[in-house]
């Protein structure tokens, strides 16, 4: 199970951020309490990161930027761009679909429906890897149940394509978005809508000037999370599309472990470094915006 | 299960080290039983370059039995009959064979050798792609050892010092589910026909899988290329993709059985193995070695220089290169390296030879330099050939 979309809604801007009222004393005391965690993080993330940096900048035993240059050329560059494009499409489509689904569940006021959708989302958001790929292949692959029953092949359907992969990734991305956005939708007070209506605002005006601005950080957080999930996904794509859709994670695997290429390990490390930079850029867009409007959703 | 066992072995290794450090000088009763007893023979076994160095095969068997274990890596049981080979070896000599990471790759094997130097759980013996055997020998990762039949291995299929030698090989073949495909393709040219839309798969991705790489090389030979020029192979798959025939799903026993990869380009021994495996399940799997793209390749055996069970490792090689071992590979439809000499002295199992897919002529192999160049072309061009 390599698809590490193991959520972490806790890291997202939810309601419980009590730092505004926190006193200075508790803060300094809390810092020492976090020390074991910091040491652990330093070891678990710092050591591999250092190894990665060291390897990425070493070619033929000497310091060099050759790996980095190669990782941004030719087939590797194509794979990187394709990965970014796929992740962006999945992130935006997943966020939109997930938000509408979540809004429907939140406004329905049916407790059982809400529980059912949230539980199912929790399960489906973590369904990935090879089992997911084979579930789709059996359903919509070239000889899949639906493909043969409905004659989809003659209509030009092909699961093993960019859009096929988008569809499969949405299968775990939409539930993840639901999990992330439901608390934020709960945070939209009914009073705000009533106040807007009392002042003669239309539904569109309410969403345009109140709802969407307040939800923006959570929406962005969801987009970032979905982007990361799709960007890092490997096993599903490897089992399903091989190299038909070039992806950077597949390239890393090819360079790192296989029966064919020898001596590309450090290019793989350079590719990983590129991935970290891309993820960092995405986070850099999200963080300032999130800070700006998170105060509404306390 | 795999990981928890590895962890226990790792823990045991740590404890062993800790105890032996604790009982630094000489008398180490806690660890004595096993390591102490085998250390004298182990030392000589670790440097022995032939069974004669140890005083003959019987002495080697004795030393190997004393070690009692053998670590093998990346040997899938349904690949070239390795399941039976491992079982037979273990029962014959009473040696416990620890089989690790059966679906791994040559790169995984080399990594394991490098990262587990001096550990009890390091692999003892390796089954590598030829390119990895060559690069590993250059890096000095292998223990030179000549099996008794070393001289019978054809020239060009062994390292002069015995660092590695070819073990078994086969041809690129086209497997086909005759129940689903009315007319099975016989050549690479056939594969481009419109009736095979979405049906032609490979055993993985040629920048990673050795058999898929061989498939591209065979396609190149079929389409005007040569050992010096793999580009026509890439062009072939580009045409196959453009025709809509290329199926990117990695063919595995599961996809073959359920019909998702009704045509699969793969080693003939794997495809032939599927024929047996699935005959009872109603899959009529036909295997053809395409006449227009004949490409053969062999894997190679090597012994880890830091093998934790050096005598068992050497005994394993002797077993594999005995008539019994070679015939076991033959039973898995692989062509063992000693097959030519065994056919001339009559020790090859004729019934098994008759079951091999028919091939005209003798195999030719690209040189190391040609393979290296082909890999570069492939790594740069494969994505562009089949993507979109």
């Amino acid at each position: 199970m390599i698809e590490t979309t193991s959520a972490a809604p806790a890291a997202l801007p939810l309601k419980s951020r009590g730092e505004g009222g926190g006193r200075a004393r508790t803060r300094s005391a809390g810092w020492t309490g976090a020390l074991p965690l910091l040491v652990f993080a330093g070891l678990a993330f710092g050591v591999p990161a250092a190894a990665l940096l060291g390897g990425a900048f070493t070619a033929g035993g000497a310091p060099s930027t050759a790996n980095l240059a190669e990782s941004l050329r030719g087939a590797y560059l194509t794979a990187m761009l394709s990965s970014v494009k796929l992740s962006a499409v999945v992130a935006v489509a997943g966020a939109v679909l997930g938000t509408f689904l979540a809004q429907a569940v939140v406004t329905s006021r049916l407790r059982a429906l809400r529980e059912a959708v949230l539980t199912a989302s929790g399960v489906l958001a973590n369904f990935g890897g090879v089992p997911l790929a084979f579930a789709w292949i059996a359903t919509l692959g070239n000889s899949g149940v639906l493909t043969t029953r409905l004659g989809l092949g003659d209509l030009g359907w092909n699961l093993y394509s960019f859009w096929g992969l988008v569809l499969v990734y949405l299968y775990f991305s939409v539930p993840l978005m639901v999990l992330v956005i439901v608390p934020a939708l709960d945070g939209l007070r009914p009073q705000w809508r009533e106040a807007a209506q009392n002042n003669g605002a239309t539904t569109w005006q309410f969403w345009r000037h109140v709802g969407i601005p307040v939800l923006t950080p959570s929406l962005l957080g969801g987009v970032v999370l979905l982007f990361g999930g799709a960007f890092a996904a490997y096993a599903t794509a490897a089992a399903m599309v091989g190299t038909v859709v070039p992806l950077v994670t597949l390239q890393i695997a090819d360079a790192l472990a296989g029966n064919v290429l020898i001596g590309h390990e450090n290019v793989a490390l350079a590719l990983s470094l590129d991935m970290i930079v891309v993820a960092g850029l995405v986070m850099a867009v999200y963080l300032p915006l999130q800070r700006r409007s998170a105060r509404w959703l306390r | 299960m795999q990981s928890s066992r590895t962890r226990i072995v790792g823990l045991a290794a740590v404890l062993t080290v800790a105890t032996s450090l604790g009982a630094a000088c000489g008398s180490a009763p806690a660890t004595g039983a096993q390591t102490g007893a085998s250390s004298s023979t182990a030392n000589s076994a670790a440097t022995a370059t032939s069974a004669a160095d140890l005083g003959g095969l019987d002495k080697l068997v004795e030393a190997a039995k004393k070690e009692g274990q053998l670590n093998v890596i990346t040997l899938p049981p349904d690949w070239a009959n390795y399941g039976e080979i491992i079982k037979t070896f273990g029962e014959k000599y009473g040696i416990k064979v620890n089989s690790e990471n059966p679906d791994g790759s040559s790169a995984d094997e080399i990594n394991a050798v490098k990262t587990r130097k001096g550990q009890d759980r390091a692999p003892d013996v390796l089954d590598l792609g030829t390119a990895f055997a060559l690069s590993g020998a250059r890096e000095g990762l292998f223990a030179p050892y000549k099996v008794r039949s070393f001289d019978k291995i054809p020239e060009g299929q062994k390292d002069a010092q015995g660092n590695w030698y070819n073990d078994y090989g086969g041809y690129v073949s086209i497997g086909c589910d005759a129940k689903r495909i009315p007319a099975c393709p016989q050549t690479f040219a056939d594969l481009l026909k419109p009736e095979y839309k979405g049906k032609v798969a490979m055993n993985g991705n040629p920048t990673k899988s050795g058999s898929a790489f061989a498939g591209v090389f065979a396609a190149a030979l079929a389409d005007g290329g040569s050992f010096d020029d793999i580009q026509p192979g890439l062009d072939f798959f580009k045409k196959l993709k453009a025709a809509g025939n290329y199926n990117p799903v990695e063919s595995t026993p599961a996809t073959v059985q359920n019909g998702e990869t009704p045509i699969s380009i793969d080693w003939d021994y794997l495809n032939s193995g599927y024929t047996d495996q699935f005959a009872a399940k109603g899959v009529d799997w036909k295997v053809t070695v395409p006449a227009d793209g004949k490409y053969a390749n062999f894997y190679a055996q090597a012994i880890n220089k830091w093998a934790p069970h050096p005598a068992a490792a050497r005994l394993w090689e002797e077993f594999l290169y005995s008539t019994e071992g070679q015939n076991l590979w033959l039973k898995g439809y692989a062509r063992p390296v000693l097959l030519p000499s065994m056919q001339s002295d009559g020790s090859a199992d004729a019934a098994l030879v008759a079951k091999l897919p028919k091939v005209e002529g003798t195999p030719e192999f690209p040189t190391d330099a040609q393979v290296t160049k082909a890999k570069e072309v492939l790594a740069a061009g494969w994505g562009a050939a089949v993507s979109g």
Side-chain angles (χ1 to χ4, degrees):
Chain A
M1 200 60 76
I2 315 216
E3 317 287 356
T4 52
T5 45
S6 50
L12 287 152
L14 303 183
K15 291 193 278 184
S16 56
R17 297 192 58 193
E19 72 183 72
R23 267 163 274 155
R25 200 138 57 91
T26 46
R27 217 181 234 195
S28 67
W31 190 87
T32 42
L35 206 59
L37 176 69
L38 291 177
V39 171
F40 175 77
L43 282 175
F45 293 108
V47 173
L52 190 145
L53 270 176
F57 286 103
T58 309
S64 150
T65 53
N67 297 318
L68 228 47
E70 192 176 347
S71 76
L72 295 172
R73 245 198 333 251
Y76 291 123
L77 182 64
T78 314
M80 178 60 80
L81 294 177
S82 170
S83 263
V84 170
K85 186 175 144 207
L86 176 76
S87 314
V89 170
V90 169
V92 172
V96 171
L97 293 174
T99 306
F100 278 112
L101 179 59
Q103 173 67 7
V105 170
V106 166
T107 48
S108 80
R109 302 227 171 83
L110 245 176
R111 187 122 199 110
L113 176 72
R114 183 192 164 101
E115 298 289 321
V117 169
L118 287 185
T119 309
S121 296
V123 174
L124 295 178
N126 289 297
F127 185 38
V130 178
L132 176 68
F134 278 107
W136 280 89
I137 289 173
T139 314
L140 280 167
N142 284 330
S143 63
V145 178
L146 287 184
T147 319
T148 42
R149 291 269 164 81
L150 306 177
L152 293 174
D154 303 329
L155 301 174
W157 166 250
N158 179 12
L159 180 66
Y160 312 121
S161 63
F162 181 84
W163 291 104
L165 204 55
V166 167
L167 186 68
V168 173
Y169 279 17
L170 282 178
Y171 188 78
F172 61 79
S173 297
V174 170
L176 183 58
M177 189 65 195
V178 170
L179 288 183
V180 168
I181 203 75
V182 159
L185 290 173
D186 283 339
L188 284 183
R189 313 272 156 83
Q191 295 93 318
W192 296 348
R193 185 192 280 262
E194 288 159 13
Q197 277 168 346
N198 286 345
N199 285 309
T202 61
T203 308
W204 163 244
Q205 279 173 321
F206 166 74
W207 281 110
R208 165 76 186 78
H209 295 288
V210 180
I212 292 175
V214 169
L215 285 179
T216 302
S218 305
L219 284 172
L220 276 173
V223 168
V224 169
L225 193 64
L226 298 197
F227 183 92
F231 197 52
Y234 163 71
T236 311
M240 218 179 84
V241 296
T243 41
V244 169
V245 181
L247 292 179
V248 68
T249 44
L250 300 177
Q251 295 278 6
I252 290 175
D254 293 355
L256 214 50
N259 286 314
V260 176
L261 295 177
I262 298 180
H264 282 59
E265 292 86 352
N266 286 351
V267 177
L269 295 179
L271 282 168
S272 316
L273 192 60
D274 297 344
M275 282 186 80
I276 293 175
V277 170
V278 170
L281 286 176
V282 174
M283 287 300 285
V285 176
Y286 153 70
L287 280 176
L289 282 168
Q290 176 247 318
R291 207 168 295 140
R292 222 185 77 203
S293 41
R295 59 202 151 115
W296 288 105
L297 288 170
R298 234 167 258 152
Chain B
M1 192 193 92
Q2 181 72 46
S3 67
S4 71
R5 199 197 64 203
T6 328
R7 222 175 296 134
I8 291 167
V9 175
L11 184 66
V14 169
L15 287 177
T16 315
V17 172
T19 11
S20 54
L21 281 180
C25 281
S27 65
T31 58
Q34 202 196 339
T35 26
S38 64
S39 68
S40 60
T41 50
N43 282 340
S44 51
T47 53
T49 56
S50 68
D53 279 5
L54 288 163
L57 191 64
D58 293 341
K59 285 272 191 288
L60 176 61
V61 172
E62 198 180 300
K65 278 184 174 166
K66 213 174 276 175
E67 288 172 357
Q69 296 202 34
L70 176 75
N71 298 345
V72 300
I73 184 169
T74 70
L75 302 183
D78 54 3
W79 180 292
N81 203 23
Y82 259 123
E84 188 178 350
I85 293 174
I86 289 171
K87 192 163 161 276
T88 311
F89 176 81
E91 283 170 2
K92 183 168 183 176
Y93 297 108
I95 289 173
K96 183 168 174 285
V97 181
N98 309 311
S99 178
E100 178 194 357
N101 190 12
D103 293 323
S105 65
S106 295
D108 293 338
E109 297 178 53
I110 295 292
N111 274 338
V113 169
K114 286 182 179 167
T115 54
R116 299 200 213 135
K117 229 176 263 184
Q119 296 181 21
D120 276 353
R121 60 194 186 103
D124 286 304
V125 286
L126 310 165
D127 180 5
L128 297 156
T130 316
F132 284 84
L134 287 165
S135 73
R138 270 198 299 275
E139 291 178 67
L141 303 177
F142 307 142
Y145 181 80
K146 291 182 183 171
V147 288
R148 286 169 305 154
S149 45
F150 187 77
D151 293 337
K152 292 186 191 158
I153 301 174
E155 281 308 318
Q157 296 199 273
K158 59 189 172 189
D159 175 67
Q161 273 72 50
N163 280 303
W164 59 266
Y165 18 90
N166 283 157
D167 43 19
Y168 61 90
Y171 286 86
V172 170
S173 69
I174 300 174
C176 166
D177 189 339
K179 284 257 169 66
R180 289 169 200 264
I181 310 287
C184 279
Q186 303 296 316
T187 60
F188 274 97
D190 283 352
L191 294 176
L192 294 169
K193 290 181 181 168
E195 61 195 277
Y196 304 131
K197 195 163 166 42
K199 295 191 163 61
V200 184
M202 286 202 284
N203 172 0
N205 151 17
T207 55
K208 196 175 177 198
S209 146
S211 70
F213 171 72
V216 180
F217 229 141
L221 298 181
D223 228 19
S226 68
F227 286 154
D228 290 308
D229 183 14
I230 196 175
Q231 187 60 43
L234 296 176
D235 298 340
F236 175 85
F237 278 95
K238 193 172 187 150
K239 276 186 272 175
L240 196 67
K241 166 84 176 141
N245 290 8
Y246 181 64
N247 178 347
V249 175
E250 201 172 295
S251 63
T252 62
T255 62
V256 164
Q257 197 194 337
N258 75 10
E260 184 61 27
T261 56
I263 298 174
S264 171
I265 303 171
D266 205 341
W267 293 124
D268 59 352
Y269 47 90
L270 297 183
N271 270 332
S272 301
Y274 297 155
T275 307
D276 283 357
Q277 204 178 337
F278 299 130
K281 291 173 179 149
V283 179
D284 183 14
W285 193 250
K286 293 249 186 302
V287 187
T288 317
V289 174
D292 57 350
K294 257 186 294 177
Y295 181 86
N297 204 357
F298 277 71
Y299 285 85
Q301 283 289 323
I303 299 174
N304 180 2
K305 190 172 181 179
W306 302 275
H309 310 106
R314 282 156 177 78
L315 183 61
W316 171 255
E317 301 300 340
E318 294 289 357
F319 173 72
L320 292 180
Y321 289 83
S322 68
T323 308
E324 183 182 8
Q326 298 278 301
N327 274 323
L328 279 172
W329 266 322
L330 196 55
K331 197 173 168 190
Y333 298 97
R335 296 161 203 265
V337 72
L338 296 175
L339 185 59
S341 74
M342 284 168 64
Q343 274 179 299
S344 57
D345 68 19
S347 58
D349 189 327
L352 295 177
V353 175
K355 280 176 83 181
L356 290 176
K358 299 286 167 291
V359 184
E360 300 287 324
T362 49
E364 288 174 55
F365 306 101
T367 64
D368 187 30
Q370 284 169 325
V371 172
T372 308
K373 182 169 162 266
K375 284 176 181 175
E376 278 163 22
V377 174
L378 183 86
W382 177 254
V386 296
S387 69

